[in-house]
Amino acid sequence: MKATYLEPAVGQYLLAHTARPDELLDALALETRELMGERANMQIAPDQGRFLTMIAQISAARNAVEVGTFTGYSSVCLARGLAPGGRLTCFDASEEWTAVARRYWEKAGVADRIELRLGPAEVRLRELTGGPPVDLAFIDADKPGYPVYYEILMSVLAPGGVILVDNTLWSGRVAHPNERDETTQVMREFNDLVMADPRSTSIMLPMADGLTMIRKH
Ligand SMILES: C[S@@+](CC[C@H](N)C(=O)[O-])C[C@H]1O[C@@H](n2cnc3c(N)ncnc32)[C@H](O)[C@@H]1O
């Protein structure tokens, strides 16, 4: 489990009562750690992976989008929860990191339902305009890009569609006014923007580094 806002014993208990990742996800987490070292911390936590799969299942997502794929952990989790015939479109700037994701999509048997679009997400996400409405999206990329990604996704999201956003508690720093570094300010502004948006309703969950769930009216 990653950063948790629970006392350690409660966090351990929670993890012990959350379905474990399977061997494939464990192998992906291990390989990412071996290949990327500290950068592996960018990967979502196992409980978040479970959550993504469940949300995809519960929402019967048919057209899902991910912004920030890295080595593929969250995309495998999302793809596994899609409704039959569902599609996941992944956006990422790194060919190198997503090469690992592509391998795991094959191994997981979900490669046929995932399309990867490489390049700056701010540019490539706009290609979704005019296409089928998106019913589920997950944002987990560069933090300064969040407001633009949110805006583009809201414009293509179906009514009732959901956007999940990672790292919205930013290690808890957003809650402390004396924390004034640039990324903390960016996350605060993003969280305020979502709260003030009359087009949606949101809930911030203290899962991992903070996960906000936003539902478009
Ligand atoms: C936190 S990692 C994503 C982790 C991933 N969700 C997982 O579970 O492993 C952020 C990813 O965003 C990508 N990224 C950062 N800035 C980007 C941009 N401007 N456009 C597209 N992708 C970007 C990086 O290449 C990186 O793979």
Side-chain angles (χ1 to χ4, degrees):
M1 183 177 289
K2 267 191 187 169
T4 176
Y5 301 96
L6 302 172
E7 62 166 280
V10 179
Q12 286 306 319
Y13 185 87
L14 186 145
L15 195 57
H17 293 82
T18 295
R20 286 270 316 130
D22 67 359
E23 282 180 13
L24 181 130
L25 288 173
D26 278 344
L28 172 53
L30 186 66
E31 183 173 344
T32 303
R33 178 64 56 190
E34 285 167 358
L35 288 174
M36 311 285 172
E38 280 287 293
R39 281 207 178 109
N41 292 334
M42 293 203 292
Q43 191 167 66
I44 60 159
D47 50 334
Q48 285 183 290
R50 276 290 167 202
F51 188 73
L52 290 181
T53 302
M54 271 199 202
I55 291 291
Q57 289 168 330
I58 292 164
S59 63
R62 293 191 51 79
N63 188 21
V65 169
E66 172 177 87
V67 190
T69 295
F70 191 42
T71 58
Y73 197 107
S74 50
S75 55
V76 168
C77 295
L78 283 167
R80 283 175 163 175
L82 294 172
R87 308 275 312 157
L88 170 65
T89 309
C90 291
F91 293 84
D92 201 286
S94 171
E95 192 157 7
E96 181 195 339
W97 294 342
T98 54
V100 180
R102 284 188 197 274
R103 269 199 288 117
Y104 277 86
W105 295 341
E106 290 292 343
K107 287 187 196 190
V110 294
D112 60 338
R113 66 190 85 151
I114 301 180
E115 182 192 343
L116 175 63
R117 298 197 189 176
L118 284 170
E122 182 174 348
V123 176
R124 300 231 54 191
L125 269 174
R126 295 181 199 280
E127 295 166 7
L128 297 173
T129 306
V134 170
D135 40 33
L136 179 64
F138 178 50
I139 302 177
D140 185 21
D142 56 312
K143 309 314 162 199
Y146 275 24
V148 174
Y149 305 154
Y150 174 73
E151 200 48 53
I152 298 171
L153 287 168
M154 280 297 282
S155 74
V156 295
L157 204 66
V162 168
I163 303 176
L164 295 160
V165 187
D166 199 18
N167 306 112
T168 49
L169 284 173
W170 203 238
S171 303
R173 288 201 282 275
V174 287
H176 299 291
N178 54 332
E179 299 281 0
R180 297 188 174 278
D181 65 279
E182 207 175 321
T183 312
T184 301
Q185 303 274 37
V186 160
M187 283 313 306
R188 265 192 208 118
E189 281 167 26
F190 175 74
N191 290 336
D192 291 346
L193 175 156
V194 169
M195 251 332 260
D197 190 345
R199 299 169 297 177
S200 63
T201 306
S202 64
I203 176 167
M204 190 182 272
L205 304 168
M207 180 181 281
D209 193 24
L211 186 70
T212 297
M213 179 151 62
I214 303 154
R215 183 181 182 275
K216 184 174 168 179
H217 299 147

